[in-house]
Amino acid sequence: MNFTYLFVLIWLAFLISSGVLLFSRGFLLARVSKTETSTCRRLSTNPNDEYVLSPEVVNEIFKDVNASANLCLPQKSRVIILVVDALKYEFGVYRDNVSEPLPYENKLGFLNELLERNPDHARLMRFKADPPTTTMQRLKGLTTGSLPTFIDIGSNFASPEINEDNVIDQIASSKLPMVFLGDSTWTDLYPRRFKRAYSYPSFDIFDLDSVDKQILKHLPKELSSNDWEVLVAHFLGVDHCGHKHGPMHEEMARKLTEMNDVIRSVVEAMDNDTTLLVMGDHGMTASGDHGGDTEDETNALLFAYSKQHRFFGNDSGSDTEMLQQIDLVPTLATILGVPIPYSNLGLINFNIVPEIPVPYLNKFQTLLLHSWQNAQQIYRYFFQYAFENKRTFNVEEMDRLETEYILLSHRVQTIYNEAAFKNFVRDLNINLRDILKTCREIWVRFDPTLMSHGLLFSFLPLFFIFLLVNNSRPVDYEKIFKAKETFYAYLINLAAGVFGYRYYKNFSFKTEEHGVIFFTALTSAAVLSFHVLRHWTNIASNWAAVRRFAHMPTRLLLFAAMAVFFSNSFVIQEAKILSYLLAGTILLLSHELLRLSARLDFRTKFKASQFLRSTALRLILASFLAICLIRFAYTLFRCREEQGNCSDFTNSGGAGFSLKKPGSGKTYILAVVVIVVYTTLTRLYLRSCGNLTGNSANVLLARYGPTVASICAGGHVLLANSSIKNIQRSHIDALALVIYALLLLQIIVVSWAPLMIFVLPPRNANTVIVNGSESIVPEIFRKMKRMYEGNDGERRDAIPVVYGLATVYSSIVITFGVFLALVMIVLLEPRASIGLVVCIAVAAILLSIHGILRYRTANSFESCVQPTFTALVGWFLLAHFCFFATSHQTTLSQIEWRAAFVGRTTGIGQSNFISGILVILNTFCGPIFFFSMYSLLSTETYSLFALFPNLIRSCRSSSAGGKVDATTSMTDLANEAVGFDMTRGELTLYEYEDIFLGTGFKLATQFFMLQGLKVFCAMMACTIHCRHLMVWKIFAPRFIYEALTTFVSLPSLILGYLLLLRIHRAVDTLIKRINKTKVL
């Protein structure tokens, strides 16, 4: 078989994807990590240490305070850090006037007890996180003091070791022993830093207790030990409960009560020289998720307590209500007497620093030294970063900040009393927050070169697809894309990539990646331009034959779909917009078909009885059903925070927290019913086509596999969402694993023996075959007559009977789709699985309407196998509509991380790659499913008329005004209408294999063009709105989703074409084997 088309598709997919990737590098730039580290001389009160604090040393310090940046004051206490993952601020606020508290309210009562008993020894503060609010990014901020960048969320599945200066490394290098218990993300980020580490995997979100129980098993022993200075325990139960049940479930009350008991036991066990910090790394939304930048997600809790020593009070100049998470790093360094990490941008918050006197220093002198050392560290990092990235900073702003720094460096030498210190530290904090604000702005800067190159290199392949593929006939592709020329094109691109990788610096490119993409894109553009020029005559003639204003309504619908990206309000309401556009395409198809097929004269010729039996009425009802299904999908949409009427973000009236609607049992039952109906109808369809006859591997799998998978999927839906507590998780996971195994088996079988046909053995010449209802005597008589006349030519030239040949292509694609859909169903939430089946039903109606329309308008095989532009756009819109119909939204906080753990308990595997694949299958199930089955647009016309041949007569009679001879055969009618025998079904596709495979290639490239145009519009919208107020809230997440959709859609289309090639090769083998048998 010729796989040239497949390699051309891979080439074009690479060009489009590389352009999108290049644009993302310019639009979503990551902050440059610095590898420099901070150092200091640790002053001590021990006479045996190297640097001893004495009156002489203090006098030297205050002679020149600016020279004290390399000094660290003595350690104030040991530290216990209890990280309760997803501990939202509202979880710790105690409300006296609540008679019936919600499940998350008043469960941490011990915190309130400590606050009332010792107000000077305890602090409860709002712990403000920077987005993205994923655990790994929050841990980076909590330990480095630096700001995360927007795109950092992508590495949440892989926790690389941090090479930037951080407080963990500073503690370790200062010879302060640390012990860790809990989430293994810490040991992934900081391997070999802890004296003892009890780390456990964190990604089984269905498990609320295992990690917490392991921590509690070792925690009492560690609390009684004296060989550590810092103890960190990271509990996961509250976060996992949020993901699984949401904050309004009784399990949340249980986990918070458990955490309350843990805090009580730790306080009772800790000594007087230890400071306790209880904190959440982020909050959670009404659904229990996190990752975005909403108030619910960024408002975590911080509680600090010290038994013996009071904390510094309000006179320290620090914020008493809120602590930014990056402020924890310098604060923790101050408590432990270690250097503040080099890249830190946070300020010391003295409200949680124990007020322990430092020998020979009064209170304001201690605070002054700490504050100024913090300031000098920030100035050193900021001005060094600005010097290395001059073009990204505003010159006037830099001059202003530098002038203020010089003035403050002179003022610090003149602070001799507490009043002067208060004024100084107020101005200092304002200046340092200005630096933080400036850094926030520059780290969302854009690289115009990368963005412009990304736009250009994304547009070029779309332009050449339009010229070279869209304006050429399928029979011409063999001449355009020859195997040898495609091979040379790959070699030229490889050489260009190596050149770009080797000499990228000579062209002022910052990375090897930029150089490789730049030169391969230019080289590909040159090669494609050569193809266009060589075949321009043919292209121009085909282009001229196209009507200028053809398909104008469909073009307007497509334009509206692309225009969504340019308005923030349109992006917010994109789900509804797509539903209108999708309904519009179905109405356009129905209108066109009714206009051609139904000629009704209501004044003279209309008969109600005839109309009720007509195909026209059935088409009207089918279109109405499709629109009703689309409208039903409204109930499955997930809302956004910006939609004020969204129940997912309705305030409960308490501290801005959101209520979550409990899952309805009716939804689970409906999901199970929908799954069973889908698999049953598919099985009935395949059986009626004859594709379930025989005992071949794929037939047996198609006959029994979907039934087994649907039972497992239904069981998983019911058991995974059941309130029964004694069901073992491994049993629920086994149901999902069975479905995964069936899909894997389907892929293996399709690769090995894909055909779902049964070749009937040839009849014996002396065998008499009759139906059970007939008499055997007439058949014996006819047989004897043939023997007497010697007419045995029929036996010699008998054509073998093959079951399932009329749907030989589509049956395999549909069966593959069933297994793929069932895997997606088990990964989706119950109501989302309903949405997927609804979209499949809409697709079936669209295919039926388009199949009849294509027969009615086609005048040759080529025009019959090529879908109409309206059907093409409808299928494309349906793939994207399915994203919203399966309860997804283009916000980072609503990513379904739960899918990463379906069928994967802690004993089965912890591969981050598999976790990412499962989340992608959940999030982009619509594009993956419909683009991998795109070939049905070409094949269903043939299978439809092979299964229902009366459609040929009905369509023909309507066009001929009802005057069709009843004796005329279906074959003659089909030949007269489209020029070939439609009744043979999809076997006709094999007979015109050059046109068929060329059309499959053209259809894939047309979807390439539509998806590329969509992501190009998203890129253009981000370029235009890069300074828009909502760029990071709406436009950037929308671009990320569209870019990821592109990265999964293009391989799905390639997979769909590869599946088509594999089936065609198997059909070719079958036909050759039958012909060989006949010859023998």
Side-chain angles (χ1 to χ4, degrees):
M1 290 298 298
N2 188 353
F3 285 89
T4 304
Y5 295 156
L6 181 66
F7 288 110
V8 174
L9 288 176
I10 295 173
W11 179 23
L12 295 174
F14 166 75
L15 295 178
I16 296 172
S17 301
S18 60
V20 176
L21 180 65
L22 203 60
F23 178 87
S24 67
R25 295 287 192 247
F27 179 64
L28 301 170
L29 276 178
R31 175 178 56 86
V32 179
S33 297
K34 309 295 291 183
T35 56
E36 292 88 340
T37 59
S38 297
T39 58
C40 73
R41 291 186 296 172
R42 300 187 68 206
L43 299 177
S44 172
T45 56
N46 188 346
N48 298 323
D49 291 340
E50 184 177 359
Y51 302 107
V52 181
L53 191 63
S54 63
E56 293 78 11
V57 172
V58 172
N59 290 333
E60 289 295 324
I61 290 174
F62 283 96
K63 284 182 181 179
D64 186 5
V65 180
N66 288 304
S68 65
N70 63 336
L71 299 176
C72 290
L73 295 182
Q75 178 181 351
K76 293 176 171 52
S77 71
R78 300 202 302 172
V79 176
I80 297 176
I81 301 175
L82 300 183
V83 180
V84 182
D85 210 298
L87 186 63
K88 188 178 171 64
Y89 176 71
E90 283 73 15
F91 291 174
V93 176
Y94 194 83
R95 306 187 187 284
D96 295 319
N97 56 349
V98 177
S99 58
E100 296 182 1
L102 297 172
Y104 64 85
E105 289 184 328
N106 295 353
K107 298 303 182 292
L108 298 177
F110 187 63
L111 303 184
N112 183 66
E113 182 181 331
L114 292 176
L115 286 167
E116 292 182 348
R117 185 196 309 166
N118 299 307
D120 292 334
H121 294 249
R123 295 282 189 270
L124 179 66
M125 305 177 71
R126 194 180 298 272
F127 202 30
K128 193 70 174 179
D130 290 295
T133 50
T134 52
T135 295
M136 195 193 73
Q137 275 64 47
R138 290 297 81 242
L139 293 184
K140 285 183 177 180
L142 287 170
T143 54
T144 63
S146 59
L147 295 174
T149 51
F150 192 86
I151 199 60
D152 272 347
I153 191 172
S155 56
N156 195 48
F157 275 114
S159 306
E161 182 177 355
I162 291 181
N163 57 8
E164 195 172 13
D165 196 12
N166 59 84
V167 72
I168 300 296
D169 283 340
Q170 290 291 356
I171 295 171
S173 61
S174 299
K175 303 295 190 294
L176 299 180
M178 293 179 289
V179 173
F180 173 75
L181 308 94
D183 183 1
S184 59
T185 304
W186 285 81
T187 51
D188 292 336
L189 294 173
Y190 302 106
R192 303 175 301 280
R193 289 354 184 249
F194 300 98
K195 182 174 183 177
R196 289 185 297 277
Y198 310 91
S199 62
Y200 307 96
S202 61
F203 260 43
D204 183 12
I205 61 170
F206 298 112
D207 186 355
L208 308 187
D209 299 305
S210 293
V211 174
D212 292 356
K213 286 181 179 178
Q214 290 296 326
I215 296 174
L216 295 178
K217 177 181 177 181
H218 300 284
L219 186 59
K221 178 185 65 176
E222 293 299 338
L223 288 173
S224 62
S225 178
N226 294 318
D227 62 346
W228 53 263
E229 295 297 324
V230 178
L231 185 148
V232 181
H234 191 146
F235 294 88
L236 295 172
V238 172
D239 178 67
H240 288 189
C241 182
H243 284 296
K244 185 176 181 180
H245 300 294
M248 298 300 298
H249 198 274
E250 59 181 9
E251 284 292 291
M252 182 61 74
R254 179 180 71 84
K255 292 306 299 182
L256 289 175
T257 302
E258 183 181 301
M259 290 300 102
N260 187 67
D261 296 337
V262 170
I263 297 170
R264 185 187 299 273
S265 63
V266 170
V267 169
E268 292 173 354
M270 60 188 265
D271 58 32
N272 292 334
D273 295 324
T274 301
T275 300
L276 171 65
L277 299 176
V278 180
M279 67 186 71
D281 55 344
H282 50 75
M284 66 172 64
T285 63
S287 60
D289 299 319
H290 57 88
D293 60 351
T294 64
E295 288 294 318
D296 280 345
E297 295 165 279
T298 57
N299 282 329
L301 174 142
L302 176 73
F303 176 80
Y305 178 73
S306 177
K307 273 188 176 180
Q308 182 176 1
H309 305 286
R310 58 181 291 175
F311 293 120
F312 284 104
N314 299 335
D315 54 354
S316 62
S318 298
D319 193 337
T320 59
E321 300 294 330
M322 184 181 72
L323 179 73
Q324 295 199 36
Q325 287 195 354
I326 58 174
D327 294 343
L328 179 69
V329 171
T331 305
L332 193 60
T334 298
I335 297 174
L336 295 171
V338 301
I340 299 174
Y342 179 82
S343 303
N344 166 71
L345 289 171
L347 305 184
I348 301 172
N349 192 305
F350 293 102
N351 284 292
I352 60 173
V353 176
E355 188 178 339
I356 299 175
V358 179
Y360 317 113
L361 291 173
N362 58 36
K363 178 179 175 180
F364 91 85
Q365 287 178 324
T366 301
L367 295 176
L368 177 64
L369 285 179
H370 282 308
S371 299
W372 188 242
Q373 288 166 0
N374 184 194
Q376 286 186 306
Q377 170 266 317
I378 293 176
Y379 287 136
R380 182 171 61 252
Y381 168 66
F382 175 69
F383 289 119
Q384 179 65 28
Y385 193 98
F387 177 76
E388 295 176 1
N389 301 270
K390 295 179 181 178
R391 292 183 295 177
T392 61
F393 287 82
N394 183 282
V395 177
E396 296 179 357
E397 181 70 11
M398 289 300 302
D399 289 341
R400 182 185 70 81
L401 292 172
E402 187 174 10
T403 301
E404 291 181 1
Y405 165 66
I406 294 172
L407 293 175
L408 290 169
S409 65
H410 285 87
R411 280 181 63 186
V412 74
Q413 304 284 9
T414 63
I415 308 300
Y416 297 111
N417 55 57
E418 192 167 342
F421 164 75
K422 289 182 179 179
N423 291 329
F424 171 77
V425 80
R426 182 185 65 249
D427 296 338
L428 178 63
N429 288 345
I430 292 174
N431 180 251
L432 294 179
R433 289 305 188 196
D434 284 344
I435 290 178
L436 177 62
K437 179 182 177 181
T438 301
C439 288
R440 288 185 192 275
E441 293 175 354
I442 66 168
W443 284 330
V444 295
R445 76 196 191 284
F446 311 103
D447 189 322
T449 302
L450 286 172
M451 291 174 67
S452 59
H453 286 177
L455 286 168
L456 176 63
F457 298 147
S458 297
F459 175 76
L460 284 177
L462 305 181
F463 176 72
F464 287 115
I465 288 174
F466 175 75
L467 285 181
L468 198 58
V469 180
N470 200 58
N471 290 295
S472 297
R473 296 178 58 193
V475 293
D476 298 329
Y477 295 149
E478 284 190 353
K479 301 175 184 177
I480 298 175
F481 301 108
K482 297 179 180 178
K484 185 178 293 185
E485 294 177 356
T486 303
F487 174 72
Y488 289 151
Y490 267 74
L491 289 181
I492 294 172
N493 275 273
L494 180 63
V498 172
F499 178 83
Y501 183 86
R502 178 66 179 84
Y503 298 104
Y504 72 98
K505 291 183 179 179
N506 298 45
F507 297 88
S508 301
F509 297 143
K510 295 180 180 179
T511 62
E512 298 92 336
E513 181 184 76
H514 190 181
V516 171
I517 293 176
F518 181 85
F519 286 104
T520 53
L522 284 184
T523 302
S524 298
V527 173
L528 291 172
S529 299
F530 170 75
H531 283 300
V532 170
L533 293 175
R534 190 173 64 172
H535 300 278
W536 179 250
T537 303
N538 191 33
I539 292 172
S541 62
N542 291 326
W543 199 352
V546 177
R547 289 185 299 165
R548 180 173 299 179
F549 298 102
H551 309 293
M552 188 53 67
T554 307
R555 293 183 186 183
L556 292 176
L557 292 177
L558 184 61
F559 175 80
M562 303 302 172
V564 165
F565 297 102
F566 295 91
S567 169
N568 58 325
S569 57
F570 282 7
V571 173
I572 293 172
Q573 300 294 342
E574 184 177 3
K576 291 185 177 180
I577 293 173
L578 277 178
S579 67
Y580 297 144
L581 299 178
L582 179 58
T585 59
I586 293 175
L587 289 175
L588 282 175
L589 287 172
S590 301
H591 171 264
E592 180 68 15
L593 184 55
L594 290 172
R595 185 178 65 84
L596 293 171
S597 300
R599 300 184 177 183
L600 302 176
D601 189 341
F602 288 92
R603 292 173 298 179
T604 59
K605 298 181 180 180
F606 178 73
K607 295 181 180 180
S609 59
Q610 181 180 357
F611 177 72
L612 291 175
R613 296 192 302 269
S614 66
T615 305
L617 177 61
R618 296 173 187 173
L619 293 174
I620 293 173
L621 293 177
S623 302
F624 179 75
L625 176 60
I627 294 173
C628 288
L629 290 173
I630 294 171
R631 185 62 183 84
F632 170 75
Y634 273 45
T635 62
L636 308 173
F637 289 165
R638 201 169 180 179
C639 354
R640 296 174 60 109
E641 180 192 9
E642 297 86 357
Q643 296 170 321
N645 60 344
C646 179
S647 59
D648 288 343
F649 291 91
T650 303
N651 290 337
S652 65
F657 190 63
S658 305
L659 289 170
K660 180 186 178 183
K661 288 185 177 181
S664 171
K666 295 179 180 179
T667 303
Y668 306 146
I669 299 298
L670 180 59
V672 174
V673 171
V674 165
I675 293 169
V676 172
V677 170
Y678 167 54
T679 52
T680 302
L681 290 179
T682 306
R683 192 176 188 278
L684 291 175
Y685 172 80
L686 292 174
R687 189 175 67 178
S688 66
C689 297
N691 295 111
L692 297 185
T693 305
N695 296 309
S696 66
N698 208 10
V699 169
L700 291 175
L701 186 60
R703 188 185 302 161
Y704 303 111
T707 303
V708 174
S710 63
I711 294 173
C712 292
H716 189 277
V717 168
L718 295 177
L719 295 179
N721 297 281
S722 173
S723 59
I724 302 174
K725 297 181 179 179
N726 58 353
I727 301 176
Q728 294 187 20
R729 185 67 217 173
S730 59
H731 295 170
I732 301 176
D733 288 338
L735 298 175
L737 291 174
V738 169
I739 302 175
Y740 297 163
L742 286 173
L743 176 61
L744 183 61
L745 183 60
Q746 171 69 16
I747 295 173
I748 295 172
V749 170
V750 168
S751 303
W752 170 51
L755 295 186
M756 296 170 59
I757 52 94
F758 176 65
V759 181
L760 194 67
R763 297 178 179 180
N764 189 304
N766 297 317
T767 302
V768 177
I769 299 177
V770 297
N771 294 329
S773 59
E774 296 179 355
S775 172
I776 194 171
V777 176
E779 182 60 29
I780 293 176
F781 175 77
R782 287 191 291 269
K783 183 67 177 176
M784 292 175 64
K785 183 178 179 181
R786 286 195 300 268
M787 292 174 63
Y788 176 76
E789 295 175 350
N791 184 13
D792 60 347
E794 181 182 354
R795 177 179 59 82
R796 293 195 304 269
D797 300 329
I799 299 175
V801 177
V802 183
Y803 286 92
L805 205 56
T807 53
V808 65
Y809 288 94
S810 62
S811 60
I812 301 167
V813 176
I814 290 172
T815 304
F816 175 79
V818 169
F819 287 103
L820 181 60
L822 287 170
V823 168
M824 293 173 173
I825 284 171
V826 81
L827 294 174
L828 293 165
E829 292 287 347
R831 73 169 187 171
S833 63
I834 298 172
L836 178 60
V837 178
V838 165
C839 291
I840 294 173
V842 174
I845 295 173
L846 188 149
L847 287 172
S848 301
I849 297 174
H850 172 257
I852 300 173
L853 175 64
R854 186 74 287 193
Y855 171 80
R856 188 63 193 86
T857 57
N859 52 23
S860 65
F861 176 84
E862 182 177 335
S863 59
C864 190
V865 78
Q866 174 64 41
T868 62
F869 183 63
T870 304
L872 190 75
V873 172
W875 194 266
F876 177 76
L877 293 177
L878 179 60
H880 288 274
F881 173 77
C882 191
F883 173 85
F884 297 99
T886 51
S887 301
H888 292 103
Q889 266 293 352
T890 53
T891 58
L892 298 180
S893 60
Q894 293 180 325
I895 298 175
E896 287 287 346
W897 300 113
R898 181 197 67 87
F901 323 108
V902 175
R904 301 177 64 232
T905 58
T906 53
I908 292 178
Q910 298 298 321
S911 169
N912 290 321
F913 176 77
I914 296 177
S915 299
I917 292 297
L918 295 179
V919 172
I920 288 172
L921 283 172
N922 173 288
T923 307
F924 304 103
C925 57
I928 292 173
F929 180 83
F930 288 105
F931 286 145
S932 62
M933 300 180 67
Y934 81 95
S935 59
L936 292 177
L937 286 168
S938 293
T939 61
E940 275 305 290
T941 303
Y942 299 86
S943 57
L944 185 67
F945 281 87
L947 292 173
F948 308 103
N950 285 330
L951 284 173
I952 298 176
R953 189 178 298 277
S954 62
C955 290
R956 181 62 181 162
S957 63
S958 62
S959 62
K963 299 178 181 179
V964 175
D965 189 354
T967 62
T968 306
S969 67
M970 299 295 181
T971 301
D972 294 337
L973 288 175
N975 281 321
E976 182 182 350
V978 293
F980 60 92
D981 185 5
M982 180 72 77
T983 60
R984 287 179 294 173
E986 295 173 11
L987 184 61
T988 312
L989 300 173
Y990 173 77
E991 298 176 9
Y992 299 87
E993 62 175 344
D994 292 341
I995 299 176
F996 173 52
L997 295 180
T999 301
F1001 168 74
K1002 181 177 183 178
L1003 189 55
T1005 56
Q1006 286 175 324
F1007 280 120
F1008 272 29
M1009 187 168 60
L1010 291 177
Q1011 183 57 44
L1013 184 61
K1014 199 165 189 283
V1015 74
F1016 179 79
C1017 290
M1019 293 155 61
M1020 282 294 297
C1022 289
T1023 304
I1024 295 171
H1025 297 302
C1026 63
R1027 296 300 176 189
H1028 193 281
L1029 180 65
M1030 305 299 288
V1031 62
W1032 300 117
K1033 183 75 173 178
I1034 293 178
F1035 293 108
R1038 187 64 192 89
F1039 162 70
I1040 291 176
Y1041 270 93
E1042 199 57 49
L1044 292 175
T1045 302
T1046 303
F1047 294 149
V1048 300
S1049 296
L1050 302 187
S1052 298
L1053 288 165
I1054 294 173
L1055 174 64
Y1057 189 72
L1058 182 61
L1059 180 61
L1060 196 65
L1061 287 180
R1062 180 65 190 94
I1063 300 170
H1064 185 76
R1065 183 172 184 177
V1067 173
D1068 182 67
T1069 303
L1070 171 68
I1071 300 300
K1072 289 179 180 178
R1073 189 177 76 241
I1074 292 175
N1075 289 336
K1076 184 177 179 181
T1077 303
K1078 287 177 62 180
V1079 171
L1080 294 176

